[in-house]
Amino acid sequence: MMMRNGVDMAKVNARVEAMKKDPGEGKRTLSGITSWNGGAHSTTIVRNFAIPADEPGAIGGTNRGPSPMELVLTALSACIAISIAYSAAEDEVEINSIEIDVEGDLDLRGLFEISGDARPGFEEVRVTVRMDADAPREKLEELVNHGYRRSPVVDSLEGRVPVRVCLAQEDTEAV
Protein backbone atom coordinates (compact mmCIF):
# COMPACT_ATOMS: atom_id res chain seq x y z
CA MET A 1 0.00 0.00 0.00
CA MET A 2 1.41 3.35 -1.05
CA MET A 3 0.44 6.13 1.33
CA ARG A 4 1.41 9.73 0.61
CA ASN A 5 0.16 12.60 2.77
CA GLY A 6 -2.28 10.14 4.33
CA VAL A 7 -3.80 9.41 0.91
CA ASP A 8 -3.98 5.75 -0.14
CA MET A 9 -2.61 6.28 -3.65
CA ALA A 10 -3.09 2.61 -4.58
CA LYS A 11 -6.86 2.99 -4.08
CA VAL A 12 -6.92 6.38 -5.81
CA ASN A 13 -4.94 5.08 -8.78
CA ALA A 14 -7.15 1.96 -9.06
CA ARG A 15 -10.28 4.17 -9.10
CA VAL A 16 -8.73 6.50 -11.69
CA GLU A 17 -7.88 3.56 -13.96
CA ALA A 18 -11.41 2.14 -13.56
CA MET A 19 -12.90 5.52 -14.55
CA LYS A 20 -10.62 5.76 -17.58
CA LYS A 21 -11.93 2.38 -18.78
CA ASP A 22 -15.56 3.08 -17.87
CA PRO A 23 -16.66 6.70 -17.27
CA GLY A 24 -19.71 5.36 -15.41
CA GLU A 25 -17.34 4.27 -12.60
CA GLY A 26 -16.95 7.94 -11.69
CA LYS A 27 -20.66 8.70 -11.41
CA ARG A 28 -22.14 8.81 -7.92
CA THR A 29 -25.29 10.12 -6.33
CA LEU A 30 -24.59 11.42 -2.86
CA SER A 31 -27.48 11.64 -0.44
CA GLY A 32 -28.52 12.39 3.10
CA ILE A 33 -31.71 12.70 5.09
CA THR A 34 -32.48 15.68 7.28
CA SER A 35 -34.88 15.63 10.21
CA TRP A 36 -36.17 18.88 11.65
CA ASN A 37 -35.84 18.94 15.44
CA GLY A 38 -37.89 22.09 16.03
CA GLY A 39 -37.04 25.75 15.68
CA ALA A 40 -33.89 26.18 13.58
CA HIS A 41 -32.34 22.88 14.73
CA SER A 42 -32.03 19.87 12.41
CA THR A 43 -29.91 16.75 12.09
CA THR A 44 -28.73 15.31 8.79
CA ILE A 45 -27.61 11.71 8.43
CA VAL A 46 -24.98 11.19 5.73
CA ARG A 47 -23.57 7.66 5.50
CA ASN A 48 -23.05 6.87 9.21
CA PHE A 49 -22.56 10.46 10.35
CA ALA A 50 -25.06 12.67 12.20
CA ILE A 51 -24.48 16.34 11.42
CA PRO A 52 -26.35 18.93 13.50
CA ALA A 53 -27.31 22.36 12.19
CA ASP A 54 -28.85 25.28 14.04
CA GLU A 55 -28.81 29.04 14.04
CA PRO A 56 -27.28 31.25 16.73
CA GLY A 57 -29.59 32.45 19.48
CA ALA A 58 -29.39 36.02 18.14
CA ILE A 59 -31.56 35.03 15.17
CA GLY A 60 -33.91 32.64 16.93
CA GLY A 61 -31.90 29.41 17.01
CA THR A 62 -30.68 27.42 19.97
CA ASN A 63 -27.01 27.23 18.95
CA ARG A 64 -26.88 23.40 18.98
CA GLY A 65 -24.76 23.19 15.87
CA PRO A 66 -23.16 25.26 13.14
CA SER A 67 -25.50 27.22 10.91
CA PRO A 68 -26.15 25.84 7.42
CA MET A 69 -24.01 28.62 5.95
CA GLU A 70 -21.17 27.75 8.34
CA LEU A 71 -21.51 24.18 7.09
CA VAL A 72 -21.16 25.49 3.51
CA LEU A 73 -17.88 27.20 4.53
CA THR A 74 -16.80 23.99 6.29
CA ALA A 75 -17.51 21.93 3.17
CA LEU A 76 -15.65 24.43 1.00
CA SER A 77 -12.48 24.60 3.09
CA ALA A 78 -12.44 20.83 3.75
CA CYS A 79 -12.82 20.08 0.04
CA ILE A 80 -10.03 22.49 -0.91
CA ALA A 81 -7.75 20.92 1.73
CA ILE A 82 -8.51 17.43 0.39
CA SER A 83 -7.96 18.53 -3.20
CA ILE A 84 -4.61 20.12 -2.30
CA ALA A 85 -3.53 16.98 -0.42
CA TYR A 86 -4.47 14.77 -3.39
CA SER A 87 -2.69 17.10 -5.84
CA ALA A 88 0.43 17.07 -3.67
CA ALA A 89 0.32 13.28 -3.32
CA GLU A 90 0.05 12.91 -7.11
CA ASP A 91 3.02 15.28 -7.55
CA GLU A 92 4.99 13.43 -4.83
CA VAL A 93 5.15 16.49 -2.57
CA GLU A 94 5.20 15.72 1.15
CA ILE A 95 2.91 18.00 3.14
CA ASN A 96 3.40 18.56 6.85
CA SER A 97 0.31 20.69 7.38
CA ILE A 98 -2.51 22.53 5.63
CA GLU A 99 -4.56 25.11 7.49
CA ILE A 100 -7.34 27.06 5.83
CA ASP A 101 -9.06 30.21 7.03
CA VAL A 102 -12.43 30.68 5.38
CA GLU A 103 -14.92 33.49 5.80
CA GLY A 104 -17.99 34.58 3.92
CA ASP A 105 -20.00 37.79 3.90
CA LEU A 106 -23.70 37.27 4.47
CA ASP A 107 -26.50 39.85 4.57
CA LEU A 108 -29.25 38.43 6.80
CA ARG A 109 -31.73 40.91 5.29
CA GLY A 110 -31.91 38.53 2.32
CA LEU A 111 -32.92 35.57 4.53
CA PHE A 112 -35.60 37.61 6.26
CA GLU A 113 -36.70 39.30 3.00
CA ILE A 114 -36.17 42.78 4.44
CA SER A 115 -34.38 44.22 1.43
CA GLY A 116 -35.09 43.45 -2.21
CA ASP A 117 -31.43 43.97 -3.13
CA ALA A 118 -29.99 41.65 -0.44
CA ARG A 119 -29.40 38.05 -1.52
CA PRO A 120 -29.94 35.27 1.04
CA GLY A 121 -26.60 33.67 0.10
CA PHE A 122 -22.97 34.68 0.45
CA GLU A 123 -21.92 37.90 -1.22
CA GLU A 124 -18.25 36.84 -1.21
CA VAL A 125 -16.16 34.05 0.27
CA ARG A 126 -12.46 34.42 1.06
CA VAL A 127 -10.13 31.46 1.52
CA THR A 128 -6.57 31.72 2.85
CA VAL A 129 -4.39 28.61 2.74
CA ARG A 130 -1.30 28.10 4.89
CA MET A 131 0.88 25.13 4.01
CA ASP A 132 4.05 23.62 5.36
CA ALA A 133 5.53 21.29 2.76
CA ASP A 134 8.84 20.20 1.31
CA ALA A 135 8.52 22.37 -1.80
CA PRO A 136 9.28 25.93 -2.93
CA ARG A 137 6.58 28.61 -2.70
CA GLU A 138 5.93 28.46 -6.47
CA LYS A 139 5.08 24.75 -6.19
CA LEU A 140 2.83 25.41 -3.18
CA GLU A 141 0.98 28.10 -5.15
CA GLU A 142 0.56 25.62 -8.01
CA LEU A 143 -0.83 23.00 -5.60
CA VAL A 144 -3.27 25.49 -4.05
CA ASN A 145 -4.47 26.61 -7.49
CA HIS A 146 -4.82 23.02 -8.69
CA GLY A 147 -6.65 22.04 -5.51
CA TYR A 148 -9.00 24.99 -5.91
CA ARG A 149 -9.73 24.22 -9.59
CA ARG A 150 -10.47 20.53 -8.97
CA SER A 151 -12.64 21.03 -5.87
CA PRO A 152 -16.21 19.76 -6.41
CA VAL A 153 -17.49 22.17 -3.75
CA VAL A 154 -15.84 25.17 -5.44
CA ASP A 155 -17.33 24.06 -8.75
CA SER A 156 -20.78 23.63 -7.19
CA LEU A 157 -20.70 27.07 -5.55
CA GLU A 158 -19.29 28.93 -8.55
CA GLY A 159 -21.17 26.95 -11.17
CA ARG A 160 -24.65 27.72 -9.85
CA VAL A 161 -25.77 24.09 -9.81
CA PRO A 162 -29.52 23.74 -10.42
CA VAL A 163 -31.41 22.79 -7.27
CA ARG A 164 -34.85 21.22 -7.68
CA VAL A 165 -37.13 21.13 -4.64
CA CYS A 166 -40.47 19.35 -4.53
CA LEU A 167 -42.99 18.23 -1.95
CA ALA A 168 -43.14 14.45 -1.73
CA GLN A 169 -46.38 12.72 -2.69
CA GLU A 170 -47.34 10.60 0.29
CA ASP A 171 -49.76 7.73 -0.09
CA THR A 172 -52.57 8.60 2.27
CA GLU A 173 -55.90 6.91 2.60
CA ALA A 174 -58.98 8.64 3.89
CA VAL A 175 -60.13 6.95 7.07
Side-chain angles (χ1 to χ4, degrees):
M1 173 172 65
M2 182 175 61
M3 296 292 283
R4 190 174 301 126
N5 296 327
V7 178
D8 186 336
M9 292 306 296
K11 286 184 179 178
V12 170
N13 291 336
R15 177 60 50 199
V16 167
E17 289 307 312
M19 289 185 289
K20 286 180 180 176
K21 292 178 185 163
D22 178 5
E25 285 290 319
K27 307 254 184 207
R28 296 287 183 270
T29 298
L30 305 180
S31 64
I33 187 162
T34 299
S35 298
W36 175 66
N37 302 324
H41 185 238
S42 65
T43 303
T44 302
I45 305 297
V46 177
R47 289 188 284 141
N48 295 323
F49 302 99
I51 304 165
D54 201 349
E55 293 291 349
I59 60 170
T62 54
N63 207 33
R64 289 185 274 178
S67 74
M69 293 305 281
E70 289 166 330
L71 290 169
V72 169
L73 292 177
T74 299
L76 174 64
S77 59
C79 192
I80 290 172
I82 291 166
S83 298
I84 291 168
Y86 275 53
S87 296
E90 291 163 356
D91 288 357
E92 300 183 8
V93 173
E94 289 295 323
I95 295 178
N96 300 313
S97 67
I98 301 172
E99 189 172 280
I100 298 178
D101 292 336
V102 61
E103 60 184 10
D105 299 325
L106 189 62
D107 187 341
L108 292 175
R109 295 176 307 158
L111 168 67
F112 293 106
E113 299 178 325
I114 294 171
S115 170
D117 63 342
R119 294 179 48 240
F122 285 121
E123 296 171 356
E124 180 182 74
V125 174
R126 291 169 300 284
V127 178
T128 302
V129 179
R130 283 185 294 288
M131 286 177 56
D132 177 21
D134 297 330
R137 180 169 178 85
E138 296 77 29
K139 182 61 179 178
L140 299 182
E141 287 175 357
E142 178 185 313
L143 291 171
V144 168
N145 288 332
H146 189 220
Y148 167 81
R149 286 191 319 272
R150 77 188 291 185
S151 163
V153 175
V154 168
D155 180 74
S156 295
L157 288 173
E158 290 185 339
R160 309 269 324 206
V161 174
V163 176
R164 293 187 299 274
V165 179
C166 67
L167 181 62
Q169 294 268 148
E170 298 294 332
D171 291 332
T172 57
E173 294 182 25
V175 178

